[in-house]
Amino acid sequence: MRFPRILVAGLLALAVAPAAQAAGDVDCKLHFTMSGWSAFYKTQQGSGTITCDNGTSMPVKISAKGGGITFGKSRIEDGVGEFSGVHSIRETLSTYAAAEAHAGAVKSSKAQVMTKGEVSLALAGTGKGWDIGVAFGKFVIEPR
């Protein structure tokens, strides 16, 4: 039995469309809250949710650790991170290299860009507390 060419072309288009969409970048965002302290060594912990424009989402726990010339105590609320270079939500999980300069008292803002191979993460948030210094270290995102 022979299928009409238009039917075959339509079935091929349906089969190829999801694969083509999966091959493209996915826009994913991290919404988070975290708090911590620093006295030469900096540590922060928190939690959040990663959501992507393809409908996937995942609750995560996050941590940041590093050293440098840094002192303070802070809390980031309503933080947002934007990933670039991601093909699936699983690629957002990992350890990112981080470097930052920060200064704030009572209410402060923070912005930071981190990388992990081809994937980049830009963080922004507002917080409470006080801190000053320069820190280098890692930012870890893992499933909750």
Side-chain angles (χ1 to χ4, degrees):
M1 179 174 173
R2 295 192 65 191
F3 292 103
R5 283 188 185 179
I6 193 132
L7 179 61
V8 172
L11 289 174
L12 283 173
L14 286 175
V16 171
Q21 183 181 5
D25 283 351
V26 176
D27 288 328
C28 296
K29 290 188 179 191
L30 167 66
H31 294 271
F32 68 96
T33 300
M34 67 188 307
S35 61
W37 56 269
S38 62
F40 292 106
Y41 182 78
K42 181 174 184 163
T43 182
Q44 292 184 311
Q45 288 92 29
S47 62
T49 303
I50 297 173
T51 56
C52 299
D53 64 355
N54 65 358
T56 59
S57 68
M58 177 187 326
V60 294
K61 60 182 179 176
I62 54 178
S63 62
K65 295 183 179 173
I69 303 169
T70 178
F71 300 95
K73 182 177 180 180
S74 63
R75 176 173 178 81
I76 298 172
E77 299 171 348
D78 299 322
V80 177
E82 293 191 31
F83 295 92
S84 62
V86 175
H87 294 86
S88 78
I89 197 168
R90 288 304 221 185
E91 291 181 10
T92 63
L93 302 174
S94 192
T95 300
Y96 294 80
E100 68 177 290
H102 53 275
V106 185
K107 288 191 174 193
S108 61
S109 296
K110 185 175 192 174
Q112 187 172 8
V113 176
M114 300 169 236
T115 60
K116 169 195 79 144
E118 298 290 318
V119 177
S120 294
L121 171 59
L123 294 177
T126 56
K128 297 177 181 177
W130 60 275
D131 59 348
I132 187 166
V134 177
F136 300 92
K138 62 183 181 175
F139 186 85
V140 180
I141 302 174
E142 45 194 3
R144 191 167 13 134

